Amino acid sequence: MVDQKVMEKYAELALKVGVNLQKNQALMVNAPIEGADFTRIVARKAYEMGAKDVHINWTDDELTLLKFEHAPDEVIGTFPEWQVKLYDSYAEDGAAVLSIRSTNPDLLQNIDPKRVAMANKAAAEALKNFRKYTMNDKIAWSIISIPSGDWALKIFPDASREEAVERLWDAIVKIVRVDQENPIAAWEKHNETLRKAHEVLNEKKYKKLIFTAPGTDLEIELPEGHIWKGGAAVTESGTVFNPNMPTEEVFTLPHKYGVNGTVSSTKPLNYGGSVIDNFQLTFKDGKVVNFKAEQGEEVLKHLLESDEGAKRLGEVALVPNESPVSQSGLIFYNTLFDENASCHIALGKAYPTNLEGGSSMNEEELDKHGVNDSLVHVDFMIGSDKLDIDGVKADGTKEPVFRSGTWALDI
Amino acid sequence: MVDQKVMEKYAELALKVGVNLQKNQALMVNAPIEGADFTRIVARKAYEMGAKDVHINWTDDELTLLKFEHAPDEVIGTFPEWQVKLYDSYAEDGAAVLSIRSTNPDLLQNIDPKRVAMANKAAAEALKNFRKYTMNDKIAWSIISIPSGDWALKIFPDASREEAVERLWDAIVKIVRVDQENPIAAWEKHNETLRKAHEVLNEKKYKKLIFTAPGTDLEIELPEGHIWKGGAAVTESGTVFNPNMPTEEVFTLPHKYGVNGTVSSTKPLNYGGSVIDNFQLTFKDGKVVNFKAEQGEEVLKHLLESDEGAKRLGEVALVPNESPVSQSGLIFYNTLFDENASCHIALGKAYPTNLEGGSSMNEEELDKHGVNDSLVHVDFMIGSDKLDIDGVKADGTKEPVFRSGTWALDI
Ligand SMILES: [Zn+2]
Ligand SMILES: [Zn+2]
Ligand SMILES: [Zn+2]
Ligand SMILES: [Zn+2]
């Protein structure tokens, strides 16, 4: 098992750098039962930091699977009202929200994708109000991961369960900088690097990005007033927090009507408890007009059919190949990690905070500015050491942004 | 660890005999994280029996203690609305409710009893509507127990943690008849015995019971139309279920204004995470007018001050000394077990179903018939091998009901 001290350091990092918990603030945690030991440490530290209330929403892979296997459609397709009230009441109270993930990427692989899509859609619709809090940075939130046996075995199929968990702990601890003497200082430095990177990009005010790689030839228009972000975010009330740990990306939003060409995935995508792999999407005027996948095509189809916005892009993110996640050489089958090893784009909703004034625009205004809306937001990986990216400036001139998977700009 | 097969048998018993789960019914389970293995078996079996939805409300001693140690009064004293909605929505849907208990009896011993009372009161008030469903048998519900390390060590303080848990599993398995070849058949037979016992008592129509033992001299008037019950209960819609496993009692309600004399406890009472032991209550016209306790007097005081009804009785229950719980020779520090080793009475709310027509009476009518109301219902043990009980009949004649802790009637 992982060292108690390591778990304590990680818990502290998640609370101080992840959600930046304040005195007298409530904390809502989503956590797996298999990770109860770690979660109890998080709760204890949160109270010690002055949290007024720590509530854990416990999840369990086995119970989730049982439900999908047995419950009728009307139960699968209904997101309970009490749970909406639970999420909303913590958000309204200004609570910090920490999600601890460890799900088996293959958990729902034998479940009818229609039922999984039904459940995801019901949840997304029911939590629309709650999502406004997170996607507009009205509250501090953070997603971290800890190993579970099933997940670790997916990454290290030849190891014993115990060994696999230990190796995954080792990998995660390195990637989130918990192996360093002072992880909090390391994160400050890292956030500074990401801040510099997005500042450079913000000055460029590119009209367009052109992605070229084997199987990829894609033009992404960037709307006027787009903002590159990366690393720490700030809530309306001024709390600096880190939505994702790890995070290695700088990202902005594509124009929802301005994406054209074809793009190929470079890593498997874990969506709704299944893996989609080796897939290709073709866009015309922002919309997916063609798609195929070697694995999980049916799941991809359901994802694209979630709603109108699911066929358009909501994010474009740049991650150089030197990222510690990429350096680990592992495929995690977990977007939180894999997206931070690789340039990626997201199907679905864009973050309004990626546009000047976006947080206070209504749906119509957002649409006019090219900001996509959807119930889903799903990142998928398109980066590799063969990826080149060019930036097209206001005057129409082109310049290299990425060459062979890493920065060509001075960043 | 306990055998997987034994857990399966126990889970099946809880579902078939405890809540008597029906096809297409929802099941709400309250369960400790430490008992996740057993709880997952319950969930799987429930789905296999045709449950449409299994929801687990996970509890955790460590998190409960942390909250009481750190959260401010306003959080401790507030029962969240979303949780009320959760309970009510399952009750309204006619769900079965299974509570799996394993709490450390000493969990909250170092917490200010005022704060524990505050939390209990908030919960009781918030769940008033939900309690109508259980206390009037509008839905099927059942309480069972499984060992936890801390609880087991309280009973077997000289054993190792693992050993203690194993010994407590052994004891529970015997007491709930899971060691028998066919536990379900054994419960049918047992329920038949309890049915005969309460039928005998119902024919007697006693006006009064007189309890005599060392430190006890108590007269309990029984209201007109009182009903003795015991063993299986029946919901309005006709589902036979067992509210408690184990259960060895036959019980009815005292007249709320007709209890006089003094009674002494014979076993420790675990209430609100603390132990109250060696206590004595004196009643006048149904109300506690004096009390003392060698241990936990402050906790007892807060219990009695919960509300007006907490000072009056809501249950009188007869359990002979030969009960399997009593035969185990153990003190469980857990009312579910200890009350089934011993005659007991309860402070607080009476079950309206213990009075003819009680389920459909309003508060005023219930009061007029002597049926006590309160936010609390707390059984405490007064039985021993030195307890005699006499029954006073309509014509004023007295007859022995219990002698030396066991039936003097032909039961
Ligand atoms: Zn991203
Ligand atoms: Zn994203
Ligand atoms: Zn009782
Ligand atoms: Zn009782």
Side-chain angles (χ1 to χ4, degrees):
Chain A
M1 264 310 293
V2 66
D3 201 56
Q4 173 81 8
K5 270 209 188 119
V6 170
M7 287 206 282
E8 305 240 343
K9 263 172 100 175
Y10 191 18
E12 208 165 303
L13 183 72
L15 291 170
K16 290 194 172 156
V17 174
V19 296
N20 191 1
L21 185 70
Q22 305 292 305
K23 236 178 130 62
N24 277 319
Q25 193 182 16
L27 174 69
M28 182 169 86
V29 181
N30 300 305
I33 284 189
E34 196 178 331
D37 288 344
F38 177 73
T39 306
R40 289 190 189 109
I41 295 173
V42 168
R44 177 167 53 73
K45 287 205 176 280
Y47 279 122
E48 284 167 5
M49 285 168 66
K52 67 173 179 180
D53 179 20
V54 178
H55 174 73
I56 320 279
N57 297 319
W58 293 104
T59 58
D60 187 62
D61 273 4
E62 198 172 323
L63 291 171
T64 303
L65 181 57
L66 279 170
K67 189 163 181 168
F68 274 107
E69 283 172 343
H70 295 277
D73 279 358
E74 99 237 23
V75 170
I76 293 291
T78 306
F79 191 88
E81 263 183 71
W82 64 263
Q83 218 167 333
V84 176
K85 207 174 173 83
L86 159 65
Y87 275 83
D88 283 352
S89 65
Y90 276 97
E92 279 158 27
D93 188 38
V97 179
L98 178 66
S99 292
I100 304 171
R101 302 264 174 90
S102 73
T103 296
N104 171 10
D106 290 330
L107 184 69
L108 303 180
Q109 64 180 337
N110 295 322
I111 301 296
D112 180 355
K114 228 182 279 174
R115 278 165 60 82
V116 180
M118 198 187 288
N120 287 340
K121 192 167 177 176
E125 271 167 4
L127 295 179
K128 221 167 172 173
N129 183 50
F130 175 75
R131 222 149 24 109
K132 275 191 198 147
Y133 284 90
T134 54
M135 290 203 73
N136 289 304
D137 295 344
K138 286 180 190 297
I139 55 174
W141 55 281
S142 190
I143 304 174
I144 67 169
S145 275
I146 57 172
S148 69
D150 288 345
W151 178 28
L153 279 172
K154 175 79 181 173
I155 306 177
F156 306 107
D158 299 327
S160 73
R161 193 177 186 83
E162 209 180 331
E163 234 173 64
V165 168
E166 208 156 317
R167 285 172 69 179
L168 184 48
W169 262 117
D170 284 348
I172 291 178
V173 157
K174 253 183 221 116
I175 286 168
V176 296
R177 300 175 171 82
V178 167
D179 62 334
Q180 299 196 23
E181 171 104 14
N182 186 342
I184 293 172
W187 269 85
E188 271 165 20
K189 202 178 135 208
H190 175 56
N191 274 330
E192 191 52 30
T193 309
L194 292 173
R195 197 178 57 76
K196 273 184 201 149
H198 66 69
E199 276 175 8
V200 168
L201 288 166
N202 278 330
E203 271 165 32
K204 295 287 188 186
K205 295 188 197 299
Y206 289 130
K207 301 292 264 182
K208 209 184 264 187
L209 295 176
I210 302 169
F211 288 72
T212 322
T216 290
D217 194 352
L218 187 73
E219 292 199 8
I220 296 182
E221 189 189 328
L222 302 180
E224 229 185 283
H226 70 267
I227 301 170
W228 288 91
K229 300 193 150 206
V234 187
T235 65
E236 280 178 348
S237 63
T239 304
V240 178
F241 68 100
N242 276 271
N244 288 342
M245 305 185 86
T247 187
E248 305 287 339
E249 60 175 334
V250 289
F251 65 99
T252 188
L253 43 72
H255 195 293
K256 68 182 278 193
Y257 300 115
V259 181
N260 285 284
T262 293
V263 67
S264 293
S265 69
T266 54
K267 283 174 189 276
L269 165 62
N270 172 27
Y271 178 69
S274 287
V275 173
I276 311 172
D277 204 4
N278 291 323
F279 57 101
Q280 202 174 55
L281 304 173
T282 302
F283 292 83
K284 190 166 175 346
D285 298 335
K287 192 170 164 182
V288 174
V289 290
N290 217 339
F291 67 92
K292 61 180 178 187
E294 276 178 27
Q295 187 188 335
E297 189 169 283
E298 192 64 20
V299 181
L300 177 58
K301 182 166 176 274
H302 281 285
L303 164 55
L304 291 167
E305 285 172 356
S306 303
D307 57 18
E308 263 307 297
K311 288 183 202 69
R312 299 182 184 273
L313 294 186
E315 176 186 335
V316 52
L318 308 185
V319 182
N321 245 330
E322 307 90 57
S323 106
V325 189
S326 187
Q327 291 302 305
S328 76
L330 298 171
I331 292 179
F332 287 88
Y333 301 92
N334 175 320
T335 303
L336 180 60
F337 290 85
D338 294 329
E339 72 166 342
N340 282 305
S342 169
C343 288
H344 58 270
I345 50 184
L347 289 166
K349 186 171 173 62
Y351 290 89
T353 49
N354 276 126
L355 190 81
E356 273 170 34
S359 291
S360 47
M361 286 181 189
N362 62 27
E363 281 177 36
E364 210 177 313
E365 289 171 308
L366 287 169
D367 178 74
K368 229 178 69 189
H369 285 81
V371 182
N372 193 31
D373 191 22
S374 170
L375 289 175
V376 302
H377 173 103
V378 181
D379 297 82
F380 63 95
M381 284 58 78
I382 62 168
S384 73
D385 58 5
K386 299 197 181 64
L387 175 66
D388 290 343
I389 308 174
D390 287 318
V392 180
K393 300 208 272 192
D395 61 6
T397 57
K398 259 208 278 192
E399 67 180 19
V401 176
F402 258 53
R403 281 297 175 265
S404 303
T406 192
W407 292 110
L409 295 173
D410 183 25
I411 274 172
Chain B
M1 265 309 295
V2 65
D3 200 57
Q4 173 80 8
K5 271 211 187 119
V6 171
M7 288 206 281
E8 305 240 343
K9 262 172 103 176
Y10 191 18
E12 210 166 299
L13 183 72
L15 291 170
K16 291 195 172 156
V17 174
V19 295
N20 192 359
L21 185 70
Q22 305 293 304
K23 236 177 130 64
N24 277 319
Q25 193 182 16
L27 174 69
M28 181 170 86
V29 182
N30 300 305
I33 284 188
E34 197 178 331
D37 288 344
F38 177 72
T39 307
R40 289 191 189 109
I41 295 173
V42 168
R44 177 168 51 74
K45 287 206 176 280
Y47 278 122
E48 284 167 5
M49 284 168 66
K52 67 172 179 181
D53 179 20
V54 178
H55 173 72
I56 320 280
N57 296 319
W58 294 104
T59 57
D60 187 61
D61 273 4
E62 197 171 325
L63 292 171
T64 302
L65 181 57
L66 279 170
K67 189 163 182 170
F68 273 108
E69 282 172 343
H70 295 277
D73 280 358
E74 98 237 23
V75 170
I76 293 291
T78 307
F79 192 88
E81 262 181 73
W82 64 262
Q83 220 167 330
V84 176
K85 210 177 170 79
L86 159 64
Y87 276 83
D88 283 351
S89 66
Y90 276 96
E92 278 158 27
D93 189 37
V97 179
L98 178 67
S99 292
I100 304 171
R101 303 263 174 92
S102 72
T103 298
N104 171 9
D106 290 331
L107 184 68
L108 303 179
Q109 62 179 342
N110 295 321
I111 301 297
D112 180 355
K114 229 181 279 174
R115 277 164 61 82
V116 180
M118 199 187 287
N120 286 340
K121 192 166 177 176
E125 270 167 4
L127 295 178
K128 222 167 171 170
N129 183 50
F130 176 74
R131 224 151 19 110
K132 277 191 198 145
Y133 284 90
T134 54
M135 291 203 71
N136 290 305
D137 294 345
K138 285 180 190 300
I139 56 174
W141 55 281
S142 190
I143 305 174
I144 67 168
S145 276
I146 58 172
S148 70
D150 288 345
W151 177 29
L153 280 171
K154 173 81 181 171
I155 306 177
F156 306 107
D158 299 327
S160 73
R161 193 177 185 84
E162 209 180 330
E163 234 174 64
V165 167
E166 208 155 318
R167 285 172 68 180
L168 184 49
W169 262 118
D170 284 348
I172 292 178
V173 157
K174 252 184 222 115
I175 286 169
V176 296
R177 302 177 171 79
V178 168
D179 62 334
Q180 299 195 23
E181 172 102 16
N182 186 343
I184 293 172
W187 269 84
E188 272 166 18
K189 202 177 135 209
H190 174 56
N191 274 330
E192 192 52 29
T193 308
L194 292 173
R195 197 179 57 76
K196 274 184 202 150
H198 66 69
E199 278 176 5
V200 168
L201 288 166
N202 278 330
E203 272 165 33
K204 295 287 186 186
K205 294 188 199 300
Y206 290 128
K207 302 292 262 184
K208 209 184 263 188
L209 295 177
I210 302 168
F211 287 73
T212 323
T216 291
D217 193 352
L218 188 72
E219 291 200 8
I220 296 181
E221 188 187 329
L222 303 180
E224 228 184 284
H226 71 267
I227 301 171
W228 288 91
K229 299 193 150 208
V234 188
T235 64
E236 281 177 350
S237 63
T239 304
V240 177
F241 69 101
N242 276 271
N244 288 341
M245 305 186 85
T247 188
E248 303 289 338
E249 59 176 334
V250 289
F251 64 101
T252 189
L253 43 73
H255 195 293
K256 68 183 278 194
Y257 299 114
V259 182
N260 285 284
T262 294
V263 66
S264 293
S265 70
T266 52
K267 282 174 188 276
L269 165 62
N270 173 28
Y271 177 70
S274 286
V275 173
I276 312 172
D277 204 3
N278 290 323
F279 57 102
Q280 201 173 55
L281 303 173
T282 302
F283 291 84
K284 190 167 173 346
D285 298 335
K287 192 171 165 183
V288 173
V289 290
N290 216 339
F291 68 92
K292 61 181 179 187
E294 275 178 27
Q295 188 188 335
E297 189 169 282
E298 191 64 19
V299 180
L300 177 58
K301 182 166 175 275
H302 281 285
L303 164 55
L304 290 167
E305 285 171 355
S306 303
D307 58 17
E308 263 304 301
K311 289 184 203 69
R312 299 183 184 273
L313 293 185
E315 176 185 333
V316 53
L318 308 185
V319 182
N321 245 330
E322 307 89 56
S323 105
V325 189
S326 187
Q327 290 303 306
S328 75
L330 298 171
I331 293 179
F332 287 88
Y333 302 93
N334 176 319
T335 303
L336 180 61
F337 290 86
D338 293 328
E339 71 165 341
N340 283 306
S342 170
C343 287
H344 57 272
I345 51 184
L347 289 166
K349 188 171 173 62
Y351 290 89
T353 48
N354 276 125
L355 189 81
E356 273 170 34
S359 293
S360 46
M361 286 183 190
N362 61 28
E363 282 177 37
E364 210 178 311
E365 290 170 305
L366 287 169
D367 178 74
K368 230 178 67 189
H369 285 82
V371 182
N372 192 31
D373 191 22
S374 170
L375 290 173
V376 302
H377 174 102
V378 182
D379 298 81
F380 63 96
M381 284 59 77
I382 61 169
S384 73
D385 58 5
K386 297 197 182 64
L387 174 66
D388 291 342
I389 308 174
D390 286 318
V392 180
K393 299 208 273 192
D395 60 7
T397 57
K398 260 207 277 192
E399 66 180 19
V401 177
F402 257 54
R403 282 297 175 263
S404 303
T406 193
W407 292 111
L409 294 174
D410 184 27
I411 274 172

